[in-house]
Amino acid sequence: SKHIFRKAGLLTPDWEYLTSHPGPKWQTSLPFPLFAKSNTGGSSLHLHRVTKPEKLNSVLDELFATGVEVILEPLVEGREVTCPVLGSEALPPILIEPVMGDFFDYESKYRSGGAREICPAPLPSEVLAKIQEDSLTAHRALGLRGYSRADYIITPDGKSYLLEVNTLPGMTATSLLPQSAAVGGFEFDQL
């Protein structure tokens, strides 16, 4: 998907894609800190922030023990925003502010009070419009239908880096897509 994002003109962090453990002496070309994450699954399971090169091998050991492929990405400093797409419409973006921990991990997503989710995101209108446009571009470039949700980091200078597109985002009444849809005028049952 990241190759498709780049081909579509979307900003996405650099990455390394590992299909197997490269061995204990391997060194990434990416700067630290970085994120190591499973290429499958969701809910930020198997997501690790790695701050030092000497910690990467043990994180890779853990990830590859689960039998998954791994993506490495450098940390992009900024604010996390997500933007759902419903049909052919980008819904209002949501600003995510973790209260527990340094990033929007499993704990901050699912523990009560773990994060503030503010919709619509209190960002400049031109930033919001760009996120919505990019979310539609990503949705279409990937050939998706129905709904999706794109996750971003917005840097202090206003650039939006697309991290990933969730093709099956959560659909409980408190999930991000339904929260945005409610602000966009869709009741949960209607959604």
Side-chain angles (χ1 to χ4, degrees):
S1 63
K2 290 175 74 70
H3 288 287
I4 292 170
F5 298 157
R6 289 260 171 102
K7 188 174 182 181
L10 300 168
L11 283 177
T12 191
D14 290 336
W15 72 94
E16 288 183 343
Y17 175 64
L18 305 174
T19 58
S20 61
H21 198 308
K25 295 188 187 288
W26 178 80
Q27 294 182 359
T28 179
S29 63
L30 300 172
F32 286 83
L34 58 77
F35 284 95
K37 59 186 178 179
S38 164
N39 191 39
T40 59
S43 297
S44 297
L45 291 170
H46 308 295
L47 172 68
H48 300 269
R49 184 176 184 169
V50 184
T51 58
K52 299 176 184 176
E54 56 270 18
K55 301 285 187 189
L56 182 57
N57 189 59
S58 64
V59 167
L60 292 177
D61 286 344
E62 181 181 329
L63 288 169
F64 282 110
T66 65
V68 299
E69 299 158 336
V70 173
I71 296 176
L72 304 177
E73 292 176 333
L75 169 70
V76 176
E77 294 283 355
R79 303 172 84 186
E80 186 159 351
V81 174
T82 191
C83 183
V85 170
L86 183 60
S88 60
E89 177 185 354
L91 298 175
I94 301 172
L95 177 66
I96 299 166
E97 295 180 334
V99 174
M100 308 168 82
D102 297 330
F103 61 96
F104 196 45
D105 64 358
Y106 184 85
E107 290 292 318
S108 59
K109 283 181 182 182
Y110 295 107
R111 184 169 287 178
S112 178
R116 286 183 290 276
E117 299 162 351
I118 306 163
C119 187
L123 297 170
S125 59
E126 63 275 6
V127 173
L128 295 175
K130 175 78 168 131
I131 292 167
Q132 288 178 301
E133 178 186 325
D134 287 355
S135 297
L136 281 170
T137 297
H139 183 86
R140 292 174 182 144
L142 293 173
L144 303 179
R145 292 177 298 163
Y147 60 93
S148 67
R149 198 190 77 234
D151 297 338
Y152 297 87
I153 296 293
I154 311 303
T155 61
D157 62 359
K159 291 182 181 173
S160 53
Y161 283 85
L162 177 57
L163 301 177
E164 64 185 16
V165 172
N166 297 278
T167 57
L168 286 174
M171 289 295 282
T172 69
T174 59
S175 296
L176 294 165
L177 190 151
Q179 286 182 51
S180 176
V183 171
F186 295 91
E187 295 298 323
F188 184 64
D189 289 343
Q190 179 187 9
L191 178 64

